[in-house]
Amino acid sequence: MIAAIESVNKKVNSFAWGPVMLVLLVGTGIWFTIRSGFFQFAKFGHVMKNTVGKLFHKDKKENSEKGAITPFQALTTAMAGTVGTGNIAGVAGAIVLGGPGAVFWMWISALFGMMTKFAEVVLSLQYREKDENGEWIGGPMYYIKNGMGKRWKWLAVIFALLGTLASFGIGNMTQVNTIAETFVNAADTITAATLAGTQTETILRIVVGVVIAALVAVVIIGGVSRIGKVTEKLVPFMSIFYIIGALVIVFANISKIGPVFATIFQSAFAPRAMIGGVGGFLILNTIKRGVSRGVFSNEAGLGSAPIAHASSSERNPVKQGLYGIFEVFMDTIVICTLTALVVLMSGIVVPWGNEDMAGAQVTVMAYGSIFGAKFASIFVAIAILCFALSTTLSWALYGQRCFGFLTGERGVRIYQIVFILMAVAGATMNLKLVWDIADTLNGLMAIPNLIALLALSGVVIRLLKEYRADLRTQKR
C-alpha cells in the first residue's frame, strides 16, 4: 500500500515541481514584470523606502482597526512562513544536487517572483472579507471567489483543500521533525555519542514535540493578532542572527568571493564543465534545482503568503504589495544567497550528487570550517529552531484560514487542536513519505493560484497604474 502511494505521489510530484510548472511559475512573474514596466527594478528604491524604511517610523494609526494587524506584522507573519528550513537545508541541497549554477537560477526565479508575490498580495487585499469575529480574511480562495466570480468557487475550494492538507505536512510535522532531528544531531556532536535508535533519542524527540506543540498552542489560540506580535519579534531576530553568522564565514573567506561568483555564473550554463562531470550535472537539472528551491523557499506563486498579508490594517492593496516584493528579496536574494556563499566559500568538500547529504548537514559542515563542529551544530540547531517554529506558526494561520473557508469559523477550533497534536507526532515519526506528499500538495497549490493571478492580472496592473499616478500627483 505504502509503495503504491509513493509511486503515485512521485508521478504527481514530477508534474507539481516539473519543468512545465516551473516555467508557469517563472513565466507568471515575467508576465507581471513586463506588464508593470519592470516595476520591481525601476522602483526598487521606492519599495525599500516604503517597507524596510518604515520599520523605525511606527505609525500609531496603522493598527487602529479592529481585527487587523500592522502591515509590518503581516509581512513578518508571511516571512515566518517563507524564511524556513529551505533557506538552510534547501539551498545546500540545490547546490549538492544541481551544482553552483543552481544559485543563479534561484536568483532568476526570485527576481521575477517579486512581481508574482506583489500581485498575490495586491489581490488578497483587494478581494478580502471580514469574518464573524471582525477579522480580515483573504488569500487565493477569496480572490478566486470574489474576483473571478462564484462560478469559479470550485477552484477556490480546491486551493483551500490543498492548503489545509499541506499545512499539516509542510507547515507542521516536517518542520517539527526537522527541529528534533537537528537537536539529536547536535547532541551527537556535543557528546561524541550516537543517539540514533536509543531511548535517549526517543525522549529528546518527545520533549521537543511537546515543547513546540505547547508554544504553538499558546500563540495560535490567541488568534492572528498574537501570531503577528510573535512574528514581528521572532523574524527580525532570527534573520539578523543567521545573517551575522553567515557574514562571519563570508568575511573569513573574502578572497574567494570573486571566484565563487564566477563559478556560479559559469556553471549556470555549463555545470558539467565546472564540476568536471562529478554527479553528472546537466543544464536542465541545474535550472530545475535552482528554480524549484527558489520558489519553494520564497513561495512566490504558491498562494500561501497572501493569506497573512490579507490581515493587514493597510487599506491600499499596492502599498501592502510592496511588502511582497521585499519579502522575496529578503528571503532569496539575501538569506538564501548567504547560505550559498557559506557553502561555496567555506572550503569544505561538497558531496556533489549525494542525495543523502543534500541538506542541513552540508551547511553545518560549512559553518564548522570556522566555528568548529560543536558550535556550528548548536548555531544551525538554533537557526533551524527559529526558522521552523516561525514557519509552523504561519502555516497554522494559513491552514485554519483554508479550513475556515471550507467549513466556516466553527471548524477552526477543531483544526487548531488537530494541528497542535500533529506537532507532537511529527517530532517522533519517520516522515519521508509525509514530507514527499506535503511537497507535492504545496506545489499543486500553485495551479489554482496561478490561474487566478493570470485571470485577474488586469486588476493588478490597473491598481498599480492608479498608485503610480497618485505618486506623480503628490510630487507636483
Side-chain angles (χ1 to χ4, degrees), residues 66-84:
K66 180 183 177 182
I69 56 179
T70 68
F72 179 64
Q73 287 175 338
L75 166 71
T76 55
T77 302
M79 282 197 67
T82 55
V83 178

Side-chain angles (χ1 to χ4, degrees), residues 225-295:
S225 296
R226 187 174 295 173
I227 293 175
K229 289 177 181 177
V230 172
T231 58
E232 76 172 339
K233 294 177 178 63
L234 180 58
V235 169
F237 164 76
M238 71 185 196
S239 299
I240 293 171
F241 172 79
Y242 188 72
I243 287 171
I244 290 174
L247 288 176
V248 170
I249 306 296
V250 171
F251 282 108
N253 298 279
I254 196 66
S255 62
K256 300 177 183 177
I257 194 165
V260 163
F261 271 103
T263 299
I264 289 172
F265 285 108
Q266 291 169 12
S267 64
F269 302 96
R272 186 183 292 275
M274 296 306 300
I275 309 300
V278 178
F281 298 126
L282 300 174
I283 181 65
L284 290 179
N285 175 61
T286 298
I287 294 173
K288 179 182 177 181
R289 297 291 180 181
V291 173
S292 63
R293 286 302 93 185
V295 171

